[in-house]
Amino acid sequence: AGIFTYDPGFTSTASCESKITYVDGDAGHLLYRGYPVEDLVARGDYLETCYLLLYGDLPTARQKADFDYRVTHHTMVHEQMVRFFQGFRRDSHPMAVMVGSVGALSAFYHDSTDIADPHQRMIASIRMIAKMPTIAAMAYKYTTGQPFVYPKNELDYAANFLRMCFSVPFEEYKVNPVLARAMDRILILHADNEQGASSSTVRLAGSSGANPFACIAAGVACLWGPAHGGANEAALKMLAEIGKPERIPAFIARAKDPDDPFRLLGFGHRVYKSYDPRARVMHGICREVLAEVGVADPLFEVAEELERAAMADEYFVEKKLFPNLDFYSGLTLRAMGFPPAMFTAVFSLARTAGWIAQWMEMISDPSQKIGRPRQLYTGATRRDYVPVAKRG
Ligand code: CMC
């Protein structure tokens, strides 16, 4: 018995206090530890952003060098993980491989599953940030049937990831610095977004005292859905279905139809009720990447036209549905050479910094309890058991 607030989807329930990320959904602002994401994208780098999210402040030059060193020296995964990967079917979705392999890390790093020890917590965090690009690249290589590429630690984080994905045997692979910088900025944009479904999942999983690798695997699983991180893959699929600008009005009409479950993917957000600042930056990165690779992608034109048409439509204006982070990211990643199935895997490697920061904050907050929502029971009242022979 008890009186509970019924809040499906937690639209009005704060589950925690947090000092990490601030979203002002009306103004369209996103701050990591007080710094606008646009500034971090323009002037910082992803590992610095990871440090900021984890420790609360930007690193000094020495702290940065030390952090970068520690991350780059944890990039390998245990060689036995190769056999774990080989258990998957070749046509597995990379996100299926990610969910499994990130969870499997808990079987390899027993020391850093001692969450009572702050030192071990930090080692686990660094391990996870360091290994996610390796795992995501392995998931990609495995599903394409190509050999795994080991990390090359003199490269920076984003360049190393691109090399692990796109380098092939017997060919000299040179990382394009423009694409590496674009990837780094994409990672910053995705690094955290306060209590999104996957971060809340990580916190909920962690609230029971589960080890951090298992908690991040839970986050990866939650991110996969098309209402969350899976929207980048789904949005590109939708743009391909639209195909040309003339077909846009029909898709807008479907999105507005209350009897049609179709939604414009890459549009709308629970918190951003004005233009998602990440979408604006991503749009710019997309244009730059397309110019760098020399591709005139007709779907980019479709996307821009779709945005214009939606922004001029009363339905989208009234409901405050703007393009979100996932709208232009698929086009950008595709231009960089990633197949659609990898888009959400890239998102999950970037969001690991935020998940870890949220998990660390929760574990060190003495007011946190196990997450245990209540329910309003609407099922049958007490009934008498009837043996199977007597059930009619
Ligand atoms: N297209 C058409 N109508 C929409 C859309 C859309 N993309 N999004 C919301 N609506 C409508 C919805 O039908 C509802 O209308 P009504 O009030 O008449 O029933 C109203 O807007 C509010 O929608 P909601 O589902 O109650 O809003 P929510 O806060 O629960 O959902 C959302 C947020 C992101 C799940 C939703 O906007 C959506 O499904 N968008 C498409 C998927 C997507 O792009 N997801 C990525 C989110 S951003 C990055 C990330 O988190 O990974």
Side-chain angles (χ1 to χ4, degrees):
I3 297 170
F4 310 122
T5 312
Y6 179 48
D7 183 16
F10 310 113
T11 56
S12 57
T13 300
S15 61
C16 61
E17 286 186 352
S18 182
K19 293 184 168 54
I20 302 171
T21 292
Y22 177 65
V23 176
D24 181 338
D26 294 325
H29 294 158
L30 167 64
L31 311 179
Y32 297 160
R33 302 280 189 184
Y35 295 98
V37 73
E38 295 91 336
D39 286 357
L40 295 166
V41 165
R43 300 164 68 188
D45 66 43
Y46 178 69
L47 280 189
E48 180 178 83
T49 303
C50 292
Y51 185 101
L52 174 69
L53 291 169
L54 278 175
Y55 290 95
D57 288 302
L58 284 169
T60 62
R62 206 167 142 207
Q63 287 166 334
K64 183 171 183 341
D66 178 56
F67 186 72
D68 288 5
Y69 178 87
R70 283 193 290 159
V71 170
T72 43
H73 285 78
H74 279 290
T75 49
M76 292 282 284
V77 291
H78 195 291
E79 193 58 21
Q80 220 182 319
M81 282 287 283
V82 171
R83 270 188 266 151
F84 185 85
F85 274 87
Q86 283 162 347
F88 286 96
R89 287 173 55 132
R90 281 281 177 197
D91 60 355
S92 302
H93 193 287
M95 282 299 279
V97 180
M98 296 285 292
V99 175
S101 48
V102 174
L105 291 177
S106 15
F108 288 90
Y109 302 104
H110 297 276
D111 51 348
S112 56
T113 57
D114 177 10
I115 60 163
D117 178 349
H119 177 64
Q120 290 301 341
R121 291 206 291 266
M122 192 48 87
I123 293 180
S125 303
I126 287 180
R127 276 191 167 135
M128 209 110 50
I129 290 169
K131 292 181 199 310
M132 280 303 263
T134 314
I135 291 175
M138 285 173 86
Y140 173 56
K141 285 298 195 195
Y142 186 72
T143 54
T144 54
Q146 293 177 9
F148 298 130
V149 177
Y150 289 99
K152 196 171 185 182
N153 286 342
E154 70 260 29
L155 293 177
D156 69 30
Y157 193 86
N160 200 5
F161 175 57
L162 291 181
R163 182 181 164 277
M164 285 191 287
C165 288
F166 299 124
S167 164
V168 288
F170 314 119
E171 265 179 43
E172 178 68 18
Y173 180 81
K174 270 213 162 337
V175 182
N176 176 329
V178 176
L179 299 189
R181 177 74 188 129
M183 175 53 73
D184 197 72
R185 291 187 291 158
I186 290 170
L187 298 180
I188 298 173
L189 282 180
H190 287 84
D192 197 44
N193 198 33
E194 48 117 316
Q195 305 311 318
S198 57
S199 302
S200 300
T201 299
V202 169
R203 280 187 178 254
L204 197 58
S207 75
S208 71
N211 79 70
F213 303 101
C215 296
I216 300 304
V220 177
C222 178
L223 188 76
W224 192 358
H228 194 1
N232 50 17
E233 182 180 350
L236 189 79
K237 193 163 167 247
M238 174 193 76
L239 291 173
E241 270 170 37
I242 297 175
K244 38 190 171 188
E246 305 86 270
R247 287 163 52 87
I248 288 172
F251 280 80
I252 292 213
R254 281 190 62 196
K256 289 158 58 171
D257 181 352
D259 298 326
D260 188 335
F262 173 77
R263 288 180 170 202
L264 283 191
L265 290 147
F267 268 79
H269 197 274
R270 174 66 59 77
V271 186
Y272 295 105
K273 298 300 171 197
S274 67
Y275 208 99
D276 180 339
R278 304 168 302 170
R280 190 175 290 114
V281 179
M282 186 62 83
H283 190 178
I285 299 176
C286 188
R287 198 179 287 118
E288 281 171 36
V289 167
L290 286 169
E292 177 62 22
V293 297
V295 167
D297 186 344
L299 294 188
F300 183 63
E301 197 198 320
V302 172
E304 285 190 321
E305 193 46 47
L306 178 62
E307 176 183 341
R308 259 194 299 276
M311 295 297 84
D313 191 290
E314 217 175 293
Y315 174 94
F316 290 89
V317 174
E318 249 172 40
K319 292 191 187 296
K320 302 188 171 155
L321 300 168
F322 295 85
N324 60 46
L325 172 65
D326 294 315
F327 189 59
Y328 287 104
S329 68
L331 285 166
T332 316
L333 292 170
R334 186 169 76 146
M336 294 174 92
F338 289 99
M342 273 301 288
F343 299 167
T344 314
V346 173
F347 192 156
S348 71
L349 98 82
R351 183 56 61 86
T352 297
W355 289 332
I356 284 285
Q358 300 283 345
W359 174 80
M360 289 273 261
E361 184 177 66
M362 182 200 62
I363 293 289
S364 27
D365 176 357
S367 72
Q368 276 294 316
K369 299 170 174 233
I370 186 165
R372 204 315 183 176
R374 304 307 301 263
Q375 63 167 10
L376 299 180
Y377 178 69
T378 57
T381 51
R382 190 192 163 103
R383 309 193 251 185
D384 289 331
Y385 181 84
V386 180
V388 67
K390 295 200 172 162
R391 283 177 220 154

